[in-house]
Amino acid sequence: MTYYAKSEKVDGERKYGETIAEHTNHLLEQFHVLKQIYPDVLNKNDWTLLKIAAQYHDLGKMNSLFQKRLLQGGKPSSEEIPHALLSVTLVPIKEIQSDFDPKQKLKEANHTKALIHAIAYHHERDFSHIELTNYQKAIDLLKNDAAKFDFSEINNFDYPPQLVPQKISNRLLKPGKKLLGKDPAYHLYVMIKGLLNRLDYAAGGHYQVEYSNDFLPQALAAKLAGFKKDNPNADWNEMQHFLADHADESQVVIAQTGMGKTEGALLWLKQGKGFFVLPLIAAINSIYDRIVKMTRETFDGTAKDVIEDRVGVLHSGTYAKLISDANISEDNLTKYAELTRAMSLPLTVTTLDQIFTFVFHPAGFERQLATLAYSKVVIDEIQNYDPQLLAYIIYGLKVIQDFGGQFLVMTATLPPLVIDLMRQEYIQLPAPNVFLDTKITHRHRVKTIQAELEATDIIDQYRGDKMLVICNTVKKATNLYRAVQKLDPKLNVHLLHSRFIRRDRNEKVKQILATKNDDQPVIWITTQIVEASVDIDFDILLTELSELSGLFQRMGRVYRRRNYDGETPNVLIYDGGEKTTSGIGSDKKSVVDIDMFQLSKAAIQGLDRPLSEQDKLDLINETFTTENLKDSQYYERMTKVIGYLKAVQDDNPSLNEVKQRFRDVTNVDVMPQSTYDDNQEEVDHLVRVLNGDDPKARRRLPRIEAQTKLEQYLVPIAHWRVQNYAQRNLGLKYLPNLKVVDVAYSSEIGVDFEKFPGKTEDKSSGNNIF
């Protein structure tokens, strides 16, 4: 008799697919791939346990109720017991316990308990409702199928199944009682379950579970060889050599802008599996492009699949980024994105919310954490995260380290408070290593202006070169842009913030990046969207004060890799005078913590001199100490969040709920009415494709392309801002709350609340800070 693991629909009719044996053997193939590429993930005994889990995880599917439902479809009946609970009844407990836990009582059998729980819970199910009489009845019925099943079709059983299924002792597995974090078997359970899930998904999706990092050392060597063609004495700098020499240790590195931190991080990764985490999608795309370019130049740059088993990009706009790459073939795009989401690629450039959701232990988190346990995680620009996200990072790095993973924190500035908190959480790390470029020592001459930033300041300070103006809020930036245009309509002035639809915003980002290689006079008025990891180089900066770390990041966009010897300040800081700057307040919607703002304001008061890189570090170290911030909302929020994460680690919330915690849930994506009117024909077509109303475009790729194109017409806006404007549903079945909103919009200004304020009141300028 043939027993099946899954079915599929063919021409609207449900048919059998893979057998249990076929699926299990595919799983075992991926097991050997994982073990070959990363042999040190587990010790010898634990590899054996993972193999046993792979062999047994789906055997319970042989039960007659499951086989019947497989062909007929529908939901499980009340009598059907989840197959995983039946799978464990075939595991030879006594033999395994004898080899792995010979001196322990059954209740204390850590290896056996971890194995059984990993199999039983390899799918996230609620077993609390299961009645023991039904469970025993299902086990009795399974005996008939177990007698008929050809176990020889499954490869290489180290521990052959017991042919008469037996209920597992309640001391070892009690349905509805998952292992808790304090259980001695918990760590091993997470690893076995997480890796079993990885193998299961790879086998079911017919993709490779892991690819070896055999390209990065070669690509870096080729990059250095390219430098040497122009300069035979070229070499990696001190910071890069340090990271290459300390690749087997977690590190914290503070290095000034322009020192090649990205290359340093890649040298630290070496041949390991890596995740490169940055706070902004624009920065992620930029780093991804650099790594892809380096890879394509090293290997055959004409090959379309040259990166598709090497480096991935993972964030909310992944498909938009991949579709824009002409070198990625349509046939490979979906597979490439799937491999990236499955964490199968050697190197992934990503956002925090994509890989750090494990800190809440949502359902299925083990797959994520088990992968990070043998990975190297790079956290870039850590100072750009708010206190809540920073708490997630600190707690997450502790957990990763406890499970065996390594991390590298890279930043231009780092408050001592953060290091103190990391050590308070018992994170093992050396003292931060500081690297300064001895050739670029005096980039900025700084002056603090005790006043609000006005349009007349921009006009007065403009020298006919490249000026950057950074504001704390969209409202402030927009008002300055309008006022400057009114004062001098001939000026070449541009505006950039987050309240543009994605298409227009992406175009503006391209334009501001192009100024690096263009000497044309220009003024860009922006928000802190350009604050970190954006490779631009302006001649003069006028900025509102936020706090010191953000300030020094902003200064890094001016004279980025040049010394400045002028007597006139090339950085002017406006501290608000007797007021605070825009977006700063005492509530939670403030751009930055009010205490950090006040400490920063005091630290730079009266400043009028050159400011070296060492001076900046000294100001950070003297200002943002634990002593100075111990009574601040900033410190309180971080410590409370860390405490909360410890308290809820066994709660298992839903993954969607957790992702909302990482994202700004006060913002909603909307389509301005004028954008819809200007693009109605295309938008309506995209909606039809996504709703499945277009028979010619029901394949997955056209739908992905349609979604990517539709997203280009959307803009994130604070929910309270749009709730009183006229709006209607766009008509998407899977996104019924996506609205067309009658707000004023133009590609020049973005969403314009000044032109058409509607019925809302500006409750907080801090809501629109980017």
Side-chain angles (χ1 to χ4, degrees), residues 288 292-293 295-297 299-311 321-337 339 345:
Y288 170 77
V292 167
K293 182 174 184 292
T295 304
R296 284 186 170 137
E297 288 175 348
F299 301 91
D300 181 6
T302 63
K304 288 185 178 296
D305 62 350
V306 74
I307 62 166
E308 293 171 26
D309 59 0
R310 294 185 171 94
V311 56
K321 178 61 181 171
L322 298 183
I323 288 173
S324 69
D325 189 337
N327 289 297
I328 300 175
S329 66
E330 286 190 9
D331 292 339
N332 288 342
L333 186 145
T334 302
K335 177 187 174 184
Y336 181 28
L339 286 173
L345 299 181

Side-chain angles (χ1 to χ4, degrees), residues 380-399:
D380 197 9
E381 307 294 359
I382 193 172
Q383 78 288 338
N384 283 92
Y385 293 98
D386 67 26
Q388 180 170 308
L389 295 179
L390 194 52
Y392 296 163
I393 292 173
I394 292 172
Y395 179 78
L397 292 180
K398 168 61 176 171
V399 175

Side-chain angles (χ1 to χ4, degrees), residues 156-193:
N156 304 321
F157 272 109
D158 294 312
Y159 294 84
Q162 52 186 22
L163 298 180
V164 179
Q166 297 291 328
K167 181 181 177 298
I168 302 297
S169 166
N170 282 342
R171 292 179 295 169
L172 197 61
L173 173 69
K174 188 173 183 180
K177 296 286 186 180
K178 294 184 70 172
L179 282 181
L180 301 181
K182 61 184 179 181
D183 194 293
Y186 182 77
H187 185 287
L188 181 57
Y189 157 75
V190 169
M191 291 300 297
I192 295 177
K193 179 182 183 295

Side-chain angles (χ1 to χ4, degrees), residues 307-375:
I307 62 166
E308 293 171 26
D309 59 0
R310 294 185 171 94
V311 56
V313 59
L314 185 61
H315 52 63
S316 59
T318 290
Y319 277 113
K321 178 61 181 171
L322 298 183
I323 288 173
S324 69
D325 189 337
N327 289 297
I328 300 175
S329 66
E330 286 190 9
D331 292 339
N332 288 342
L333 186 145
T334 302
K335 177 187 174 184
Y336 181 28
E338 184 177 31
L339 286 173
T340 304
R341 288 197 305 271
M343 307 174 81
S344 295
L345 299 181
L347 178 58
T348 304
V349 192
T350 183
T351 47
L352 191 70
D353 67 295
Q354 297 290 337
I355 68 164
F356 262 62
T357 53
F358 73 88
V359 298
F360 282 94
H361 289 197
F365 80 94
E366 297 90 352
R367 181 176 65 93
Q368 198 177 63
L369 182 52
T371 305
L372 295 174
Y374 61 92
S375 301

Side-chain angles (χ1 to χ4, degrees), residues 576-595:
E578 295 182 359
K579 302 178 181 179
T580 60
T581 51
S582 69
I584 305 296
S586 57
D587 61 13
K588 292 183 179 180
K589 295 179 180 178
S590 178
V591 173
V592 297
D593 178 79
I594 185 67
D595 296 303

Side-chain angles (χ1 to χ4, degrees), residues 557-574:
R557 311 307 116 190
V558 175
Y559 272 76
R560 188 165 172 80
R561 295 181 180 90
R562 299 177 285 163
N563 282 319
Y564 179 69
D565 296 314
E567 293 298 320
T568 304
N570 66 342
V571 174
L572 296 172
I573 308 164
Y574 292 81

Side-chain angles (χ1 to χ4, degrees), residues 493-505:
V493 58
H494 301 269
L495 177 66
L496 173 62
H497 51 69
S498 70
R499 228 189 276 151
F500 289 96
I501 62 172
R502 288 178 176 85
R503 180 193 63 186
D504 295 340
R505 176 174 164 180

Side-chain angles (χ1 to χ4, degrees), residues 686-729:
L686 296 174
V687 170
R688 287 195 298 273
V689 171
L690 289 169
N691 283 339
D693 299 333
D694 187 342
K696 297 179 181 178
R698 286 179 179 170
R699 292 185 301 112
R700 187 178 183 188
L701 186 58
R703 292 166 69 97
I704 291 171
E705 291 177 334
Q707 179 174 336
T708 300
K709 290 178 181 178
L710 186 66
E711 288 171 350
Q712 298 306 302
Y713 297 121
L714 304 181
V715 56
I717 304 178
H719 180 268
W720 64 265
R721 274 282 198 182
V722 300
Q723 61 185 353
N724 289 328
Y725 284 82
Q727 51 188 275
R728 65 174 179 80
N729 289 333

